[in-house]
Amino acid sequence: MLGRFSPRARALMVLSTVLIGAIVSAAWLWSANPSYSVLFTNLSDRDGGAVIAQLSQMNVPYRNADGGTILVPADKVHEARLKLASQGLPKGSIVGFEILESQKFGLTQFQEQLNYQRGLEGELARSIQTLAPVAGARVHLALPKSSGFLRDHQAPTASVLVQLHPGKTLDRAQIAGIVHLVASSVPELTTKNVSVVDQHGTLLASQSEGEGALDAQQLDYVGQIESSTIKRIEDILEPIVGRANVRAQVTADVDFSNTEQMDESYKPNQSADKAAIRSQSSTENSTTGSAGPQGVPGALSNQPPVPPTAPINGSASAPASAATPPQAPGASSHREQVTNFEIDKNVRHTKTATGEIRRLTAAVVINNKPAPAAPPASAGQPASAGAGAPAAAAAPASVAWSPKEMENIQALVREAMGFNEKRGDSLNVVNVEFSQLELPPVEPTPVWQQPEVIALAKEIGQATLFLVLTLVVVFGVVRPALKAISSQPVIMAETPSATESLPAARSELPTSQLDQMRQIARSDPATVANVVKAWVGEAKT
């Protein structure tokens, strides 16, 4: 069939076929080329080589970018990470507790302790790296050697170095989380002994931030008190002054000190009949018969004393020892009673609540209220004072609140905020006219800037471009070529049989067309011969 067309037509058909094949191949390669996403970044040379070798075994295409970054097709990122994680890749330069799995025989106690410390530092660094803003972390632990003497005891300390992603920062809550994570992982390590530093040398948390500094939870608690008080004030005033006609700010002074107080007092002594007896004991001893020798040992002390004598009527009396008979041995008794009275005692143990509000300070601003409508003009009153009179001043759009209304508003605010005069609370309510400046509206993210819309547009664009190129080739190259071939006139060779059978047809053709047909017959005689043969065959039938 190609022999029936002219060389120009055959060349156009071949060119069209080649163009269509090229467009189809390019479109297929373009659509088959997946978009690449980051698999791992900041890999060391050892980890990068191990990951690439494993990806080659998994038949996963990859690209190696600068900075130790490996890219794989977006639809295979999660699958590749899971398979590489099962192989323990990437291992990274951080060594965790896996260092304890390859312990050698004959290690000393110092080496075992050192390996444990290295493993603990590595595990803490890996845990800190899971935070979104953190790109890398290193942990240094100073674990003192245990001692049996209390005076030689030293507390452990820790230092954390974090490397943040460009443009990322750590807030106070995240810093406090890192500090508590490290302190909770090491025995006897307190939060005040943990220091955190970023890659620029900025001290994020230090030992100076002890119990006196407010942590993230305390700051959040203060913010909740202030925001809840502002909401109560606005909720009670908005139905009166309007939603956009009130602004309030509250500052809360909160006491987070933990105070314990113990008081022990005693009352004065009371009389025995009013006092309570705590305990009472009595002891009684009695002895009958001769009494044994008493007094200081010695000859003089064992003799009874001589009674004194006095002369009567000039004659001395006889000694009493001779006149007085010896005394009979007597009985002795001992009685003892002890009574303990209860002493009045008052013991008071007071613990101040943490987070007690010491003072509230509130500032409230209220916009003017709308001005009342002007009364309608009476029928007999002229509409204007005349052409020569000045125009009347325009009525104000808003007026201030009256003093009585301001007192009522202030009373409502005092009750809403829980005003306590003994606590030293302060409240200031001011009525001013708000500015009418209009703030630009915050526009949401356009639809065409959303990631999922962009991905869908890329896919649609690829299909549309493939379709457009195909239509351009078909209607711009193939169709004109076929049209030119179909409109090409057929030339008959001037043989006697043809001229004799069709004299009228030749005579009806114009001269110019005859010349054109002759030119075609000279350029493509094979086609003309085939046409003539077909006609001769038809004429014979």
Side-chain angles (χ1 to χ4, degrees):
M1 294 179 60
L2 293 177
R4 299 177 56 183
F5 299 100
S6 62
R8 181 173 177 272
R10 289 197 298 267
L12 289 176
M13 293 181 63
V14 173
L15 179 61
S16 301
T17 305
V18 172
L19 288 177
I20 292 175
I23 292 174
V24 171
S25 301
W28 180 80
L29 291 176
W30 187 14
S31 61
N33 187 15
S35 58
Y36 280 74
S37 299
V38 177
L39 179 64
F40 295 112
T41 184
N42 295 328
L43 292 177
S44 61
D45 296 339
R46 180 180 300 176
D47 287 340
V51 169
I52 290 176
Q54 192 65 28
L55 290 177
S56 301
Q57 295 180 2
M58 296 163 50
N59 295 326
V60 176
Y62 63 89
R63 293 179 182 177
N64 191 6
D66 296 335
T69 303
I70 297 179
L71 307 175
V72 296
D75 56 345
K76 296 183 179 180
V77 171
H78 301 288
E79 180 182 0
R81 285 179 180 175
L82 292 176
K83 291 183 178 180
L84 292 174
S86 64
Q87 302 295 330
L89 295 175
K91 296 181 179 179
S93 57
I94 299 176
V95 180
F97 280 136
E98 63 271 9
I99 192 175
L100 302 178
E101 299 176 357
S102 58
Q103 292 282 0
K104 297 181 180 179
F105 182 76
L107 290 179
T108 62
Q109 184 179 2
F110 174 76
Q111 291 175 336
E112 292 179 352
Q113 181 66 23
L114 183 60
N115 290 338
Y116 171 76
Q117 181 174 344
R118 290 181 58 191
L120 182 58
E121 292 174 349
E123 294 296 332
L124 289 174
R126 289 175 179 175
S127 300
I128 296 173
Q129 286 181 0
T130 57
L131 298 177
V134 179
R138 294 192 64 184
V139 179
H140 303 278
L141 299 178
L143 304 179
K145 186 178 181 180
S146 60
S147 175
F149 298 97
L150 184 61
R151 62 177 179 270
D152 296 337
H153 178 72
Q154 296 181 359
T157 58
S159 301
V160 181
L161 174 63
V162 292
Q163 183 179 0
L164 305 179
H165 290 289
K168 299 291 184 178
T169 57
L170 291 173
D171 55 16
R172 294 184 62 89
Q174 293 173 329
I175 296 173
I178 294 175
V179 172
H180 284 79
L181 173 66
V182 176
S184 302
S185 303
V186 180
E188 300 182 0
L189 178 61
T190 59
T191 55
K192 65 180 182 179
N193 290 336
V194 179
S195 302
V196 182
V197 184
D198 62 1
Q199 71 270 24
H200 303 293
T202 304
L203 186 61
L204 304 179
S206 62
Q207 299 180 4
S208 60
E209 297 185 3
E211 298 179 355
L214 297 181
D215 57 10
Q217 295 181 353
Q218 294 175 350
L219 293 176
D220 293 340
Y221 177 70
V222 174
Q224 291 176 3
I225 294 177
E226 295 175 350
S227 60
S228 62
T229 307
I230 293 173
K231 188 177 185 302
R232 291 198 300 268
I233 295 174
E234 293 180 349
D235 289 345
I236 200 171
L237 293 183
E238 283 180 354
I240 302 174
V241 300
R243 184 175 182 82
N245 295 326
V246 59
R247 295 290 186 273
Q249 291 294 330
V250 176
T251 302
D253 185 7
V254 183
D255 184 11
F256 290 101
S257 60
N258 191 358
T259 305
E260 294 185 5
Q261 181 180 1
M262 184 175 180
D263 186 13
E264 185 174 355
S265 61
Y266 298 89
K267 291 184 178 180
N269 295 332
Q270 301 178 359
S271 59
D273 56 347
K274 296 182 179 180
I277 297 177
R278 180 177 184 181
S279 63
Q280 186 176 10
S281 63
S282 61
T283 304
E284 184 176 356
N285 296 324
S286 61
T287 303
T288 59
S290 59
Q294 298 178 357
V296 180
L300 295 178
S301 62
N302 290 332
Q303 296 179 359
V306 179
T309 59
I312 300 176
N313 297 326
S315 60
S317 61
S321 59
T324 304
Q327 297 179 355
S332 63
S333 63
H334 176 74
R335 184 178 182 181
E336 180 180 355
Q337 183 176 359
V338 179
T339 302
N340 295 325
F341 295 94
E342 188 69 34
I343 301 175
D344 291 339
K345 181 179 180 181
N346 185 10
V347 179
R348 179 181 301 172
H349 187 81
T350 305
K351 184 176 181 180
T352 307
T354 304
E356 182 181 1
I357 300 177
R358 291 187 293 194
R359 186 184 180 189
L360 284 179
T361 303
V364 182
V365 182
I366 299 175
N367 192 14
N368 291 345
K369 62 181 179 179
S378 60
Q381 184 178 2
S384 60
S398 62
V399 294
W401 296 82
S402 62
K404 181 63 176 177
E405 293 172 337
M406 291 299 299
E407 291 180 2
N408 297 333
I409 292 175
Q410 188 170 3
L412 291 176
V413 175
R414 289 166 64 93
E415 297 296 331
M417 66 176 292
F419 187 86
N420 189 351
E421 187 176 359
K422 295 181 180 180
R423 193 171 55 189
D425 294 351
S426 175
L427 173 63
N428 191 7
V429 182
V430 180
N431 175 214
V432 295
E433 184 178 2
F434 286 5
S435 177
Q436 301 299 328
L437 294 177
E438 296 183 357
L439 298 177
V442 179
E443 298 181 357
T445 304
V447 179
W448 57 85
Q449 293 183 1
Q450 298 179 2
E452 58 273 8
V453 176
I454 295 176
L456 180 61
K458 289 182 178 179
E459 296 179 0
I460 296 176
Q462 291 179 359
T464 304
L465 182 60
F466 172 69
L467 180 60
V468 169
L469 292 176
T470 304
L471 294 177
V472 168
V473 173
V474 171
F475 291 98
V477 179
V478 177
R479 185 178 179 182
L482 295 177
K483 187 176 180 180
I485 294 172
S486 61
S487 62
Q488 182 177 350
V490 182
I491 303 175
M492 299 179 298
E494 296 199 9
T495 58
S497 59
T499 56
E500 291 177 359
S501 60
L502 299 172
R506 184 179 61 180
S507 61
E508 293 178 358
L509 292 176
T511 306
S512 60
Q513 292 185 1
L514 291 174
D515 296 339
Q516 186 177 3
M517 294 175 65
R518 292 190 184 96
Q519 183 66 26
I520 293 174
R522 295 189 189 96
S523 61
D524 193 1
T527 302
V528 176
N530 292 331
V531 173
V532 172
K533 289 180 181 179
W535 285 0
V536 171
E538 293 177 0
K540 290 181 179 180
T541 58

